[in-house]
Amino acid sequence: MLSSQPNYLRAGIVLLDPQSGEPRDAIPLMINPQTLTTQFEIKAPGSSDTRNEQMRLNGPPKETISFEAILDATDALERGDQDALDFGIGHYIAALRSLITPSKKQLLDNDALAKEGKLTIMPMIQPLPVFSWGLRRRVPVKVSSMSLTEDFFSAQLNPLSAKVSMTLQVLSVDDLGFDHPASSLFLHYLGELEKQAAKVIKPVPDA
């Protein structure tokens, strides 16, 4: 977006078609978060008296990524960026909200079907988000929570600075199934972790 560090890779969220897995859109972050917090919930068998069970895993851990990102229009305003002049950072906030909000068309279409008696429950399928953090961490996710704090406003009350806090659940092959197109992203991510771990994990030499 509007990073003052153009040589740095920018983190962001790529949106995949939920059926084909093909990239459709992308929402880059203005400024890369300074901190990522990752929480793991281990998937292991329940309590058992069998000793071998203590070392078993039922699958990849449930992985949750949390971060805070800063949205700021200062650099763009100084450059005379028309979108920044018109919206401040409101258009970026709207883009992030689209990750968790059905579209106007989806809501109206569902309402029309309901009035015709053709609808009982029809979930509104959204594009599949992929969290992109460098070349080795690109994982399918779903947004678990999001909060926005707007700090400064223009004379037209357009937000000029804000902090967004997001929590993303990584979707593994257990969540998507091996046949889902996005599962290859998770497996590639896992493979990269194994390659890096191999740089550290070495055979114990014979005594």
Side-chain angles (χ1 to χ4, degrees):
M1 287 184 185
L2 312 176
S3 172
S4 59
Q5 302 285 351
N7 293 326
Y8 281 64
L9 290 177
R10 284 181 296 180
I13 296 174
V14 178
L15 302 177
L16 306 184
D17 183 279
Q19 303 300 326
S20 68
E22 293 296 319
R24 284 185 11 182
D25 303 290
I27 305 174
L29 298 179
M30 279 179 150
I31 301 170
N32 287 343
Q34 293 185 349
T35 302
L36 290 182
T37 300
T38 307
Q39 182 174 347
F40 301 95
E41 183 179 325
I42 312 305
K43 292 181 181 178
S47 59
S48 173
D49 294 332
T50 305
R51 292 178 178 177
N52 289 341
E53 289 294 312
Q54 307 304 319
M55 304 308 297
R56 295 185 186 275
L57 295 174
N58 285 346
K62 180 180 178 181
E63 183 175 349
T64 303
I65 300 172
S66 302
F67 63 87
E68 292 184 345
I70 302 298
L71 307 177
D72 191 282
T74 302
D75 291 347
L77 290 171
E78 290 177 352
R79 296 198 307 268
D81 182 275
Q82 191 59 51
D83 286 338
L85 293 171
D86 291 340
F87 305 109
I89 55 168
H91 51 321
Y92 288 116
I93 291 175
L96 292 173
R97 287 192 59 170
S98 72
L99 296 172
I100 57 172
T101 308
S103 69
K104 175 182 174 181
K105 182 178 185 305
Q106 286 176 316
L107 293 172
L108 291 175
D109 286 349
N110 269 10
D111 180 61
L113 291 171
K115 288 177 178 177
E116 295 175 7
K118 297 179 180 179
L119 177 69
T120 52
I121 298 175
M122 183 176 290
M124 290 166 279
I125 299 176
Q126 302 298 100
L128 176 63
V130 171
F131 181 58
S132 178
W133 184 272
L135 300 178
R136 296 183 176 88
R137 192 184 305 188
R138 293 175 178 170
V139 286
V141 297
K142 70 175 181 180
V143 180
S144 299
S145 67
M146 180 190 305
S147 65
L148 285 158
T149 303
E150 300 174 25
D151 296 321
F152 299 102
F153 301 87
S154 69
Q156 292 75 36
L157 295 183
N158 292 319
L160 300 179
S161 179
K163 179 187 295 183
V164 57
S165 300
M166 296 187 70
T167 300
L168 308 173
Q169 179 189 331
V170 175
L171 298 178
S172 72
V173 290
D174 283 354
D175 302 302
L176 297 171
F178 282 90
D179 294 333
H180 193 285
S183 287
S184 61
L185 288 171
F186 175 80
L187 291 173
H188 182 268
Y189 164 62
L190 190 58
E192 287 295 331
L193 290 175
E194 291 170 357
K195 289 179 184 177
Q196 293 181 64
K199 301 290 184 181
V200 178
I201 302 172
K202 302 296 182 183
V204 177
D206 295 334

